[in-house]
Amino acid sequence: MVGTRQLRIKQPQSIAQMVVERLREAIIDGHFGLGENISEDKLAETFGVSRTPIRDALLQLQQSGLVIVRPKRGTFVFSPTLADVEILCEYRLMLEMQALRLSMTRNHGDLTDAIQSAVTAMTAALEASDQFAYARADAAFHRAFFDLCGNRLIRDAYTVAEGQLGAIRSSLSVAYGQPGDQSYAEHKQIAELIAAKDIDALAAVMDEHVWRTLRVARDALPEDAGSRRP
């Protein structure tokens, strides 16, 4: 007898969910700048839908921290300060190192393959001077730590900040021209250390790599009294 689960009909995505995914991708890729106003009317026209699914989508993106709704002013892409970036870096480093330890222990072969694939994509993006492709490959590089760590709670915890981190990464890549000018060599070094299972050396390189975001951001984002790291 065929199991009832096999007979279930897969529900199509709602229009709002499709808009959420496309908008999220556009913000992370840098097609919308940090702090940029997002017009509901223009989005509705662009997507060929009514304003209702647009509003639903923006509400979801607000809950994930990618947009901010300001009463009587409109909806804007989030605009982080240096203090915000510092908090994200602390959160990211803590989670990435734990995810790395677990994925290296549980799925080392698959992790090595995924990381090398991302480095190959970064190389191609650099050669093509494609900052958006580089940012996507960069995101895939770090996402592999979580996809292969075997712990859904750690993976879900990273998802909370992943969109904001991706948007900041893209924004800084745009501001500084060629993508990955300073971080590409670190990605290659991280890949080599993962292959060698050298967790101590990885910790040192990851610390330098993650905090580079804050150092680069100092010239691109507004100062904030809450920033503590020199």
Side-chain angles (χ1 to χ4, degrees):
M1 181 177 179
V2 178
T4 55
R5 181 171 298 179
Q6 297 178 24
L7 298 177
R8 291 178 182 172
I9 297 174
K10 186 177 181 180
Q11 295 295 322
Q13 284 184 308
S14 68
I15 293 176
Q17 190 57 43
M18 288 188 284
V19 173
V20 165
E21 293 179 3
R22 183 65 190 94
L23 269 180
R24 184 178 187 276
E25 180 182 89
I27 292 172
I28 291 174
D29 282 352
H31 295 296
F32 290 100
L34 300 179
E36 183 176 341
N37 177 243
I38 300 178
S39 167
E40 290 184 8
D41 291 335
K42 289 183 179 179
L43 286 178
E45 181 179 353
T46 298
F47 286 107
V49 299
S50 69
R51 292 179 63 179
T52 298
I54 297 296
R55 288 174 178 169
D56 290 343
L58 290 175
L59 178 60
Q60 290 189 50
L61 292 174
Q62 181 184 24
Q63 292 170 346
S64 67
L66 281 178
V67 303
I68 298 171
V69 178
R70 296 174 180 161
K72 299 182 180 180
R73 294 185 58 189
T75 301
F76 300 81
V77 177
F78 81 106
S79 182
T81 63
L82 286 177
D84 295 327
V85 176
E86 183 175 3
I87 289 170
L88 282 168
C89 286
E90 288 178 346
Y91 184 75
R92 172 189 174 189
L93 184 59
M94 174 186 67
L95 288 176
E96 288 200 16
M97 283 309 304
Q98 184 58 30
L100 257 178
R101 290 186 179 94
L102 291 175
S103 58
M104 286 174 64
T105 299
R106 297 171 175 173
N107 293 294
H108 183 254
D110 289 341
L111 177 65
T112 301
D113 291 344
I115 292 300
Q116 187 54 55
S117 177
V119 170
T120 299
M122 288 182 191
T123 304
L126 281 174
E127 292 173 350
S129 296
D130 188 337
Q131 60 199 24
F132 299 120
Y134 185 91
R136 286 192 292 271
D138 189 339
F141 183 99
H142 293 278
R143 185 67 189 175
F145 304 170
F146 297 90
D147 288 341
L148 296 167
C149 75
N151 187 308
R152 61 179 177 79
L153 294 180
I154 293 177
R155 184 185 66 238
D156 292 346
Y158 182 67
T159 302
V160 172
E162 185 179 21
Q164 290 188 342
L165 286 167
I168 291 171
R169 183 185 296 117
S170 293
S171 176
L172 296 181
S173 294
V174 171
Y176 285 82
Q178 289 291 328
D181 283 342
Q182 300 179 20
S183 68
Y184 176 65
E186 288 174 351
H187 283 102
K188 292 184 67 177
Q189 187 177 8
I190 291 168
E192 292 169 357
L193 292 172
I194 288 173
K197 296 185 178 182
D198 191 341
I199 193 66
D200 292 333
L202 263 174
V205 176
M206 283 293 296
D207 186 83
E208 174 72 16
H209 182 68
V210 169
W211 285 111
R212 181 182 303 283
T213 301
L214 182 64
R215 293 194 294 275
V216 174
R218 291 189 187 281
D219 294 329
L221 299 179
E223 269 292 354
D224 189 291
S227 183
R228 304 179 300 277
R229 193 177 178 94

